[in-house]
Amino acid sequence: ETGVTQTPRHLVMGMTNKKSLKCEQHLGHNAMYWYKQSAKKPLELMFVYNFKEQTENNSVPSRFSPECPNSSHLFLHLHTLQPEDSALYLCASSQEMGPTDTQYFGPGTRLTVL
Amino acid sequence: GQNIDQPTEMTATEGAIVQINCTYQTSGFNGLFWYQQHAGEAPTFLSYNVLDGLEEKGRFSSFLSRSKGYSYLLLKELQMKDSASYLCARLDSNYQLIWGAGTKLIIKP
């Protein structure tokens, strides 16, 4: 399944580094999402873009900065992260943000902050 | 609150049937999703219920009772490859998914 791709798959970074996560969807969708998944916890919605406009920022710290240059690409820029930010970061897309629009996920980026 | 409650872990035997329950807050409800997530992989869509009743898809079925805030996922003829986490998620009034922590299903031979 290559509908939603994410790079890199694994990332180890120090607290002072700056890195970016990339997501690309090949499904012709108009909505894209960033989620954080920590062990034994529910998926946490971080950011939502619908038709390239950010519609949601669920109280995410400013050390996470999203960018959506077009409806197929989504980035998550990271800087001065904390060890508690270590998690699996999942990107998803859906046709739109509607009642029957299923979200399709990428394989995630496993992030470790040292 | 927005809690989605589902069991943390379940164990079942190959060839058997297992039911994974999920309870959720009923206000602002727009549908109930089930996803499967194998370790280290992306969650994949299994089912969507918005009306009461049972939806059957091959070996997997999903049930919804809106008045009770209750859903279950029923897996029949279990296979070893069904070992995974099963995530319940409620679609809220803003069309955002509110997720449970997932149920880890362990299948034994």
Side-chain angles (χ1 to χ4, degrees):
Chain A
E1 176 61 56
T2 58
V4 182
T5 58
Q6 290 185 243
T7 55
R9 294 294 308 276
H10 300 272
L11 178 62
V12 179
M13 59 187 289
M15 292 167 60
T16 58
N17 291 158
K18 290 185 180 181
K19 296 287 184 183
S20 294
L21 310 185
K22 179 183 177 182
C23 175
E24 183 174 0
Q25 58 95 2
H26 310 273
L27 301 170
H29 289 168
N30 295 299
M32 296 188 76
Y33 311 77
W34 278 118
Y35 286 95
K36 176 183 179 182
Q37 187 175 35
S38 302
K40 302 187 188 302
K41 291 186 177 179
L43 269 74
E44 300 172 44
L45 180 63
M46 300 175 71
F47 301 104
V48 181
Y49 280 82
N50 196 28
F51 291 93
K52 297 189 297 177
E53 295 295 321
Q54 185 175 325
T55 61
E56 203 66 39
N57 172 353
N58 285 348
S59 303
V60 180
S62 59
R63 56 186 184 268
F64 295 91
S65 174
E67 179 189 0
C68 188
N70 55 62
S71 58
S72 298
H73 294 85
L74 186 64
F75 295 89
L76 187 63
H77 303 300
L78 316 172
H79 64 98
T80 60
L81 293 191
Q82 304 298 311
E84 60 264 29
D85 297 322
S86 298
L88 182 68
Y89 289 84
L90 290 163
C91 173
S93 71
S94 63
Q95 186 61 50
E96 292 182 18
M97 288 185 69
T100 60
D101 289 317
T102 301
Q103 291 183 25
Y104 294 88
F105 285 81
T109 295
R110 174 67 63 184
L111 174 66
T112 302
V113 181
L114 300 176
Chain B
Q2 300 195 77
N3 285 350
I4 307 286
D5 293 315
Q6 53 181 131
T8 303
E9 187 174 296
M10 298 181 71
T11 302
T13 304
E14 190 177 15
I17 299 173
V18 70
Q19 177 175 312
I20 302 174
N21 296 325
C22 172
T23 57
Y24 62 88
Q25 178 191 338
T26 57
S27 62
F29 176 79
N30 268 314
L32 195 291
F33 285 82
W34 284 96
Y35 279 76
Q36 179 190 61
Q37 186 177 24
H38 285 99
E41 298 184 12
T44 54
F45 170 75
L46 288 178
S47 67
Y48 169 69
N49 294 67
V50 68
L51 300 176
D52 290 351
L54 188 67
E55 297 272 347
E56 297 186 65
K57 271 189 191 180
R59 295 189 300 113
F60 291 9
S61 303
S62 55
F63 172 84
L64 179 68
S65 168
R66 288 172 297 171
S67 62
K68 295 182 179 178
Y70 169 68
S71 174
Y72 68 73
L73 182 69
L74 190 72
L75 292 74
K76 302 177 183 176
E77 301 170 17
L78 286 170
Q79 302 175 10
M80 297 303 293
K81 67 178 182 179
D82 297 329
S83 293
S85 288
Y86 291 86
L87 311 179
C88 174
R90 174 178 70 88
L91 194 65
D92 73 6
S93 56
N94 294 318
Y95 301 119
Q96 292 181 12
L97 287 174
I98 309 299
W99 296 82
T103 298
K104 182 178 180 180
L105 178 63
I106 299 169
I107 310 296
K108 295 186 174 179

